[in-house]
Amino acid sequence: MNLELLESFGQNYPEEFDGVLDSISLAVTCVFNKYGTLLAVGCNDGRIVIWDFLTRGIAKIITAHMHPVCSLSWSRNGQKLLSASTDNNVCTWDILSGEREEMYKFPSPVLKVQYHPRKKNLFLVCPMKHAAVLIDTEGNHKIVPLDEDSDLMIVASFDRRGQYIYTGNARGKILVLTCPDLEVKASFKVSTGMTGIKSIEFARRGECFLLNCSDRVIRVYDAKYVLNNGKDGDTEPIQKLQDLVNKTMWKKCCFSGDGEYICAGSARQHALYIWEKSIGNLVKILHGTKGELLLDVVWHPVRAIITSISSGLVSVWAQNQVENWSAFAPDFKELDENVEYEERESEFDMEDEDKSITKDVQRCDEDFEVDVENAEPIAAFCSSDEEVAIEEHKEALMFLPIAPEIEDPEPDMPPPAASSSKCRSFDIQLDNTTDEMHPLLSNKTKEKQLTGGKKGQKRGPKQQ
């Protein structure tokens, strides 16, 4: 599919409900790969379901954990997947083979995991009520410094290129640290009061990031201004987004693929609010089935598609596709009623005697070389600051191959080769950890949602 033809010159956000993805198990969290071709869904029975998003079919099911999967992250080339479970374990998976490569055991619940945007051997882990931890695939770890040792609720995220790590605490203080040296580069406070930071999300394009704050306001900042203001800088947000009518708390926020829109999911109901970043105006509210609570929201990296999770099902929201036959041929004209056609004198003759003879007619038998070996990198998938885009494009895993099952194999056919790779296990030792239960298990509302029946058969979404 040619992505350039999907560019919309009008509104570039979803408008209506476009079906559900039933992962058999109850879905808890989901994330797209960099190219938007595969969707990984973490389930409450510990399985990870990989969806081929173009065909809307299940490409692979990985029996990953014994407990619910609470966080997922793709590597840049899509070859690896990072998962965290409520049993305090973090694992890396090879997507093609479906096998676990490393397992990291933490002493406390893990809230979030994130692969480094550029390095495949580095990732960030946010344990519950503990400083964030930077870990490499050899088991070495560094504690991300805190503003104060008494900080408990810490959220952290890599920036778009992985050059910096942004952390936020319950007092509304943001620290910007270099990666991997972990030196404080800049810092600022979001407000004068005690406004806690619930999450930090970066746009896929541009320099903007958003903060989901406990005062029910989404603040959008420009990273360039934050870095220029340095430590204890006075940085003002470029936008403040909130629901002034209902004073909604936000469960999850994300940017659109082009960074021009911001989507936020309500913590009270299955409702998605979409704002235009440049102006700050609310452009759309998408309503799911009444009585459902939202667990996760992600925006497709390239297209105007949003997926949300509620009642164990993944809902898909997309644009209304209108058939436009005139787009297939420039001279095609759509008619409202029958029109009598007057043909020219020699229009259907074998040889047109009246046609004008042109001297500069290109010969049809000229030879043209067609390159069938090399593939041009797709511009929509490449970053403007990289020179290795072509090499990365060759390594990228966009789709999962499916091998046919042989019912009656021949006697001399060799059995499938067993994998010889062994999973490496690491114990991550942390000080001053908490023994509290994971929020996904302790919250009664979520627990009811995870164990309750599915309501996907009679979903009647509304738009506003």
Side-chain angles (χ1 to χ4, degrees):
M1 186 176 292
N2 196 338
L3 284 172
E4 282 74 11
L5 297 180
L6 295 176
E7 290 294 330
S8 173
F9 295 101
Q11 56 197 32
N12 203 19
Y13 55 86
E15 297 177 289
E16 62 180 22
F17 181 72
D18 192 33
V20 296
L21 305 178
D22 189 349
S23 301
I24 305 172
S25 307
L26 298 175
V28 177
T29 183
C30 64
V31 61
F32 281 104
N33 66 347
K34 177 189 172 185
Y35 308 97
T37 54
L38 298 175
L39 176 70
V41 178
C43 302
N44 75 328
D45 61 357
R47 293 196 294 181
I48 299 173
V49 180
I50 309 296
W51 286 83
D52 187 318
F53 201 72
L54 295 184
T55 62
R56 303 277 179 97
I58 295 177
K60 185 182 283 289
I61 297 179
I62 301 174
T63 305
H65 298 270
M66 299 296 292
H67 293 263
V69 179
C70 58
S71 182
L72 293 169
S73 178
W74 288 90
S75 65
R76 183 172 177 80
N77 59 9
Q79 302 273 3
K80 302 282 192 294
L81 186 68
L82 186 66
S83 68
S85 171
T86 56
D87 59 3
N88 306 354
N89 289 336
V90 174
C91 301
T92 59
W93 302 89
D94 183 279
I95 294 299
L96 277 176
S97 64
E99 295 180 353
R100 182 168 57 190
E101 294 190 338
E102 293 100 14
M103 182 170 69
Y104 306 85
K105 299 178 181 179
F106 282 80
S108 60
V110 175
L111 302 180
K112 175 189 172 182
V113 290
Q114 183 186 9
Y115 256 120
H116 191 281
R118 299 288 164 90
K119 299 176 182 177
K120 58 185 178 182
N121 62 339
L122 203 62
F123 59 90
L124 189 66
V125 178
C126 296
M128 183 177 173
K129 295 188 177 181
H130 190 276
V133 184
L134 187 65
I135 302 178
D136 63 20
T137 52
E138 298 300 323
N140 304 315
H141 70 276
K142 294 181 181 179
I143 306 297
V144 180
L146 300 171
D147 182 51
E148 296 179 10
D149 292 336
S150 59
D151 286 345
L152 289 179
M153 301 304 293
I154 297 293
V155 294
S157 175
F158 287 112
D159 71 344
R160 183 168 71 91
R161 297 185 180 94
Q163 296 176 340
Y164 300 99
I165 296 175
Y166 285 65
T167 68
N169 61 15
R171 298 181 178 87
K173 185 70 175 287
I174 300 294
L175 293 183
V176 184
L177 305 104
T178 59
C179 179
D181 301 328
L182 301 181
E183 298 177 357
V184 178
K185 181 77 173 178
S187 63
F188 68 96
K189 213 169 185 301
V190 297
S191 64
T192 54
M194 298 285 287
T195 304
I197 309 300
K198 297 173 64 178
S199 64
I200 304 174
E201 302 288 341
F202 279 82
R204 187 172 174 270
R205 294 183 179 274
E207 301 293 335
C208 291
F209 67 95
L210 64 82
L211 303 176
N212 181 13
C213 303
S214 60
D215 61 356
R216 310 183 184 195
V217 178
I218 301 170
R219 293 170 169 85
V220 185
Y221 291 88
D222 192 318
K224 292 185 293 186
Y225 297 148
V226 172
L227 294 172
N228 290 338
N229 290 338
K231 298 179 182 178
D232 297 320
D234 185 15
T235 306
E236 290 296 321
I238 59 177
Q239 288 293 351
K240 286 185 178 181
L241 310 173
Q242 58 183 320
D243 183 6
L244 294 172
V245 178
N246 301 317
K247 300 294 182 183
T248 304
M249 290 280 289
W250 306 114
K251 174 68 177 176
K252 175 76 183 295
C253 306
C254 60
F255 281 94
S256 62
D258 56 7
E260 295 300 323
Y261 294 92
I262 292 171
C263 176
S266 170
R268 296 179 182 173
Q269 58 184 336
H270 190 181
L272 307 177
Y273 292 68
I274 302 175
W275 292 272
E276 193 172 355
K277 185 194 70 177
S278 58
I279 306 174
N281 60 321
L282 183 67
V283 295
K284 194 72 177 177
I285 302 177
L286 301 171
H287 289 283
T289 306
K290 285 187 176 180
E292 293 182 350
L293 291 180
L294 201 66
L295 281 182
D296 203 359
V297 179
V298 291
W299 198 304
H300 193 280
V302 189
R303 304 178 64 180
I305 295 176
I306 293 175
T307 59
S308 60
I309 293 181
S310 65
S311 294
L313 292 173
V314 180
S315 302
V316 182
W317 308 84
Q319 288 180 317
N320 183 18
Q321 301 295 332
V322 180
E323 289 186 349
N324 182 14
W325 292 97
S326 59
F328 293 102
D331 56 349
F332 190 91
K333 183 186 295 185
E334 295 185 35
L335 301 177
D336 296 328
E337 58 183 12
N338 292 335
V339 176
E340 187 175 349
Y341 180 71
E342 297 180 3
E343 64 177 83
R344 299 194 312 273
E345 179 65 28
S346 57
E347 184 172 0
F348 297 104
D349 294 350
M350 293 292 291
E351 294 184 5
D352 191 354
E353 300 173 354
D354 301 330
K355 71 176 180 180
S356 59
I357 301 174
T358 57
K359 296 180 180 179
D360 299 330
V361 177
Q362 187 178 11
R363 295 179 60 189
C364 297
D365 57 349
E366 290 183 3
D367 294 333
F368 294 97
E369 283 194 15
V370 180
D371 188 359
V372 295
E373 295 180 354
N374 300 318
E376 288 281 333
I378 302 173
F381 294 150
C382 300
S383 299
S384 58
D385 59 339
E386 289 181 289
E387 297 178 355
V388 294
I390 297 178
E391 293 301 321
E392 285 199 353
H393 184 72
K394 292 178 181 177
E395 294 180 2
L397 178 64
M398 295 191 185
F399 304 98
L400 284 178
I402 298 178
E405 295 182 0
I406 303 175
E407 295 182 357
D408 300 320
E410 297 180 4
D412 57 346
M413 181 177 294
S419 175
S420 59
S421 62
K422 293 183 180 180
C423 172
R424 296 184 299 169
S425 181
F426 303 95
D427 286 323
I428 307 298
Q429 302 296 331
L430 302 176
D431 298 329
N432 302 322
T433 57
T434 180
D435 56 354
E436 294 183 23
M437 190 179 293
H438 195 285
L440 197 65
L441 301 176
S442 61
N443 191 321
K444 292 183 180 180
T445 305
K446 293 178 182 176
E447 189 174 356
K448 179 182 177 182
Q449 187 175 3
L450 290 176
T451 57
K454 297 181 182 179
K455 303 177 183 178
Q457 304 301 323
K458 298 181 180 179
R459 298 172 82 89
K462 301 180 293 182
Q463 291 86 38
Q464 178 173 327

